[in-house]
Amino acid sequence: MEKENNVAYGDSQIQVLEGLEAVRVRPGMYIGTTSESGLHHLIYEIVDNSIDEALAGYCDNITVTLEKDGSCSVRDDGRGVPSGIHPTQNLPTLEVIFTILHAGGKFGGGGYQIAGGLHGVGASVVNALSKRLEATNCRDGYEYTIAFEQGKIVEEFKQGNKTDKHGLYVRFWPDPEIFETVVFKADVVRNRLREQAFLNAGVSITLIDETGEERTEENFCYEGGIKSYVEFDNNQRAVDPIHPEVIFVSGSRGTSVAEVAMQYNDSFTDSIISFANNMKTIEGGTHETGFKAAITKAINDYGKKTGALKDADKLDGKDVREGLTAIISVKLENAQFESQTKAKLGNSSIRTLVESIVSEKLSEFFEENPKTAKIILEKGITAARAREAAKKARDTARRKGALESTSLPGKLWDCHTKNVEESELFLVEGNSAGGSAKDGRDSYFQAILPLRGKVLNVEKSRLDKIYSNPSLIPIIQALGCGIGDDFDKSKLRYGKLILMADADVDGSHIRILLLTFLFRHMRQLIEDGHVYLAQPPLYKVFKGKQVRYAFSDEERDAYIQELGVNGVEASRYKGLGEMNPEQLSETTMDPEKRVLLRVTMEDARECDRIFSVLMGDKVEPRREFIEANARYATDLDI
Ligand code: 1YM
């Protein structure tokens, strides 16, 4: 055996190093990406091992600490890792766990961790991608320690002090040579830990954040598991349940298990979040398909049975999902993940499992809870009627030509170019501002559509109302691309849709109403980056012929200083309508001078949540709506 750095390299260690080196050479293969999301995966991998120990019944508490020095530590009070030499690797088990890819009972076979995608690659990958990793294992009356740098042992496995504690402690410093960023975000970690606490009922997870000015500590522990998750999601979105109980069903077949929690609320949208082996499946998959089929069948069957639905009536999937919050969690061996992002479950056996347990047990639930069953059925029937009404309203609107781009709204001042790439449509609050915008525009590529009054709040209205709404129809007509199921982007008439409203609370309200409409019914326009917010100035500061436009109080004060005027002379705009065409052009419309904020869909679900909070019935959560409004505005286009 050769000795180097006090470390003996035998054949097996050389294999180890080659293994971990492979992880460093192709980190993407093991953690998906080396961006911020990959960085956070390191934490999840370690925490997953503690959660497994908790699920095995040996661990009560897991503590994750974001340390001041940028490292992260995870501590559990489980059994600790076996303290001896690994029987086949002939190395300390503690070393094996951090050095052999997919080693050990948990990392090779058995359990659910051998999922496809990113999950369960384990502690050795975290070690390989860390600048340094330290582990302290408490078991059998002693403390044992080991430390690595970039996967190589730097402090050998050794027995330390006596202790009657048990459990494993791991602290790691992510390697800046590997990751684009090595700064953990407490928000990201918090959401994940909370989610894991919901998915693993009764497991107590504490997050300590030492990185801020003040140390914070939060605990997540939910005896109700995914039932509590449903309640939490409803609260987050500020929707009100329409029946008292969260419905819970679970079942298993062979080694696969599935559980579902669901509850209906008074909103018109659904929030279905699904997981496979505790990984969120954003794109759904077989478990979601099975669930959707099952609730459609169970509700229709119940409606037929009670006579509420005639033979000819049938609720479709969309009807029975209106206002539904549901969490679906399945655990299975050999999970297959599909799609680019590996966020879609592909195993067909899971579809059958979820479908059969949900349809059977939901039917049972309906029998035993006729009051709730009636409420749910009625919600579906109302949704179906609204769908019918919407279809009629759309057909009527179509017949009148109101939705075709061939019939443009009377109030539209169109532009000359037909080139979508270069054209812009300004939606302008108020007629007088519309007039200024019309005169201040470059009519070659800029079109103006003045909006009269408040836009319909689509969060509180179904499609039938939209198809007959005087504030929205002109927008649909001008854009030309249709809405909802009829949406066809190839018919879009303008490359940029620019919302231009006053920089006050009313203006913000109009912006949010328009964004809600676009988000719900022309989402792709936001996704593809076609939607912008104009930024009119708040102040004009002038002295003689010298004029400055200020977009904030600070800027105003700076201009007052610069021009040497006293505050009285700095006039504040009360609205867009107060600007003449030249001023409006100069400050807000001319591509050479204006500032536009592009509306992005950073996180569609978060966006959805905010829209629900802002536009739902509850007043309280709306208070901070201006703050929330600023969230959409992230890209600058100057
Ligand atoms: C902070 C991270 O990894 N805890 C942890 C890991 C293990 C055990 C307990 C454990 C598992 C088993 C038996 C078993 C692991 N052990 C192994 C291996 N926390 C953290 N807590 N005894 C203890 O699965 O049979 C791999 S992980 F391989 F040694 F069994």
Side-chain angles (χ1 to χ4, degrees):
M1 269 207 211
E2 284 177 280
K3 279 246 171 190
E4 193 184 304
N5 298 335
N6 277 338
V7 177
Y9 285 117
D11 285 348
S12 64
Q13 284 97 328
I14 287 165
Q15 279 173 16
V16 164
L17 292 180
E18 282 173 353
L20 295 193
E21 195 47 38
V23 178
R24 290 180 61 80
V25 172
R26 289 204 179 73
M29 275 189 46
Y30 299 86
I31 51 162
T33 154
T34 56
S35 66
E36 193 173 274
S37 98
L39 174 79
H40 287 89
H41 258 285
L42 300 183
I43 302 182
Y44 311 157
E45 290 300 339
I46 301 292
V47 171
D48 281 352
N49 291 339
S50 295
I51 288 177
D52 280 349
E53 183 68 357
L55 292 181
Y58 299 104
C59 158
D60 297 318
N61 298 289
I62 302 168
T63 304
V64 178
T65 307
L66 301 178
E67 309 278 358
K68 262 205 148 47
D69 66 358
S71 64
C72 171
S73 68
V74 183
R75 182 190 299 280
D76 68 47
D77 61 357
R79 287 167 292 178
V81 172
S83 58
I85 300 296
H86 193 275
T88 59
Q89 299 290 335
N90 206 23
L91 290 168
T93 303
L94 188 61
E95 180 178 335
V96 170
I97 286 175
F98 288 101
T99 53
I100 311 267
L101 280 173
H102 302 106
K106 298 205 163 169
F107 305 126
Y112 294 114
Q113 290 224 335
I114 16 147
L118 312 177
H119 200 57
V121 289
S124 57
V125 169
V126 176
N127 188 26
L129 302 178
S130 292
K131 195 171 69 178
R132 182 178 170 85
L133 181 144
E134 299 170 355
T136 303
N137 184 39
C138 296
R139 180 150 169 163
D140 303 328
Y142 284 92
E143 227 179 62
Y144 299 86
T145 54
I146 196 165
F148 309 84
E149 283 179 10
Q150 299 189 326
K152 299 188 181 94
I153 294 194
V154 291
E155 289 162 36
E156 282 206 75
F157 174 77
K158 62 169 181 283
Q159 195 182 59
N161 296 331
K162 277 198 164 174
T163 181
D164 49 17
K165 290 202 190 112
H166 47 91
L168 184 61
Y169 170 84
V170 176
R171 180 171 179 178
F172 64 95
W173 290 254
D175 194 341
E177 288 177 26
I178 302 284
F179 293 97
E180 291 163 26
T181 166
V182 289
V183 182
F184 293 116
K185 289 216 166 117
D187 277 353
V188 175
V189 179
R190 177 182 303 113
N191 283 332
R192 168 76 182 198
L193 296 183
R194 188 196 294 115
E195 175 190 292
Q196 292 301 310
F198 283 128
L199 292 172
N200 302 285
V203 176
S204 167
I205 309 179
T206 301
L207 171 63
I208 298 174
D209 182 6
E210 303 268 12
T211 60
E213 282 193 358
E214 263 177 57
R215 175 186 190 276
T216 61
E217 180 170 336
E218 292 159 277
N219 177 260
F220 306 106
C221 181
Y222 306 98
E223 294 301 336
I226 60 170
K227 284 169 83 171
S228 307
Y229 200 163
V230 167
E231 287 163 0
F232 174 81
D233 191 65
N234 286 339
N235 262 324
Q236 283 279 295
R237 298 186 304 123
V239 295
D240 288 319
I242 54 172
H243 56 90
E245 65 284 75
V246 178
I247 304 167
F248 178 83
V249 304
S250 65
S252 62
R253 185 172 296 166
T255 55
S256 300
V257 293
E259 52 176 33
V260 173
M262 57 186 275
Q263 188 175 31
Y264 284 87
N265 60 69
D266 59 354
S267 80
F268 300 136
T269 46
D270 65 68
S271 171
I272 298 174
I273 311 176
S274 63
F275 298 85
N277 296 349
N278 290 347
M279 288 282 289
K280 199 182 251 177
T281 36
I282 305 170
E283 294 178 58
T286 48
H287 49 346
E288 264 191 53
T289 315
F291 169 73
K292 289 175 179 174
I295 57 167
T296 310
K297 181 174 181 328
I299 295 173
N300 273 298
D301 286 354
Y302 187 75
K304 293 263 153 65
K305 207 174 141 214
T306 56
L309 285 177
K310 301 280 160 297
D311 276 346
D313 298 336
K314 196 167 182 309
L315 305 178
D316 79 6
K318 273 190 182 155
D319 301 331
V320 300
R321 291 197 296 274
E322 192 181 279
L324 173 64
T325 303
I327 308 292
I328 304 165
S329 171
V330 299
K331 297 198 173 124
L332 70 161
E333 281 177 33
N334 297 317
Q336 306 292 325
F337 292 96
E338 296 172 352
S339 88
Q340 194 78 32
T341 57
K342 299 269 178 228
K344 184 174 183 182
L345 186 67
N347 303 61
S348 57
S349 62
I350 281 292
R351 189 199 134 109
T352 328
L353 170 63
V354 175
E355 189 169 340
S356 69
I357 63 162
V358 174
S359 67
E360 182 189 327
K361 295 194 177 168
L362 191 55
S363 298
E364 258 173 52
F365 174 89
F366 288 156
E367 294 300 331
E368 287 160 16
N369 301 273
K371 258 192 192 161
T372 295
K374 189 161 175 253
I375 292 169
I376 293 174
L377 186 57
E378 275 170 6
K379 173 96 180 162
I381 292 173
T382 315
R385 287 204 187 112
R387 181 168 51 90
E388 269 310 304
K391 225 173 111 197
K392 283 200 185 111
R394 185 187 62 188
D395 292 345
T396 309
R398 270 213 191 124
R399 221 172 312 117
K400 290 188 194 155
L403 294 175
E404 311 304 324
S405 52
T406 46
S407 68
L408 289 170
K411 304 236 36 156
L412 175 76
W413 288 294
D414 210 355
C415 55
H416 298 304
T417 178
K418 295 278 168 268
N419 182 351
V420 176
E421 301 271 300
E422 58 184 6
S423 63
E424 302 181 344
L425 174 65
F426 284 83
L427 297 184
V428 186
E429 174 191 3
N431 277 335
S432 69
S436 288
K438 177 195 155 226
D439 295 334
R441 69 181 171 148
D442 179 335
S443 63
Y444 172 71
F445 71 99
Q446 295 183 317
I448 309 293
L449 182 66
L451 301 174
R452 210 186 305 152
K454 284 267 150 97
V455 174
L456 179 77
N457 180 353
V458 296
E459 186 67 26
K460 288 187 184 159
S461 12
R462 293 192 176 94
L463 266 180
D464 54 328
K465 287 241 191 80
I466 293 169
Y467 282 120
S468 55
N469 182 270
S471 67
L472 294 176
I473 286 291
I475 301 174
I476 302 172
Q477 287 176 322
L479 287 171
C481 56
I483 61 173
D485 292 344
D486 295 333
F487 182 86
D488 179 357
K489 188 160 157 210
S490 70
K491 294 193 178 145
L492 181 65
R493 299 181 64 247
Y494 308 92
K496 283 197 174 86
L497 173 61
I498 302 170
L499 315 185
M500 189 154 88
D502 282 338
D504 58 10
V505 177
D506 271 356
S508 296
H509 194 197
I510 289 177
R511 267 193 294 277
I512 282 287
L513 289 168
L514 286 170
L515 285 177
T516 307
F517 168 64
L518 295 170
F519 177 77
R520 291 273 184 238
H521 301 288
M522 298 187 183
R523 187 169 301 184
Q524 208 189 330
L525 293 190
I526 300 181
E527 283 169 345
D528 294 351
H530 293 282
V531 182
Y532 295 81
L533 305 180
Q535 297 293 291
L538 293 174
Y539 306 99
K540 173 185 174 184
V541 184
F542 59 94
K543 187 179 189 183
K545 285 202 167 138
Q546 286 183 292
V547 178
R548 301 282 185 277
Y549 294 99
F551 291 83
S552 68
D553 289 3
E554 292 74 32
E555 228 182 319
R556 173 199 61 190
D557 295 343
Y559 290 145
I560 288 173
Q561 283 267 322
E562 181 199 327
L563 299 184
V565 294
N566 54 52
V568 186
E569 284 170 274
S571 69
R572 186 190 202 287
Y573 283 113
K574 290 216 179 61
L576 290 166
E578 285 188 20
M579 276 189 269
N580 64 35
E582 293 72 44
Q583 290 168 341
L584 195 57
S585 165
E586 228 175 278
T587 58
T588 317
M589 298 179 72
D590 180 351
E592 298 290 315
K593 295 172 185 159
R594 73 188 178 193
V595 175
L596 286 186
L597 297 175
R598 175 186 271 158
V599 177
T600 62
M601 291 265 309
E602 278 244 72
D603 180 342
R605 197 171 285 280
E606 175 71 355
C607 196
D608 186 62
R609 187 183 74 73
I610 291 166
F611 276 129
S612 306
V613 170
L614 291 178
M615 295 305 172
D617 287 325
K618 291 188 181 165
V619 178
E620 183 63 18
R622 248 200 310 267
R623 278 244 209 91
E624 294 168 26
F625 103 95
I626 295 171
E627 215 181 294
N629 191 11
R631 300 180 73 114
Y632 307 114
T634 51
D635 269 13
L636 274 177
D637 162 311
I638 303 180

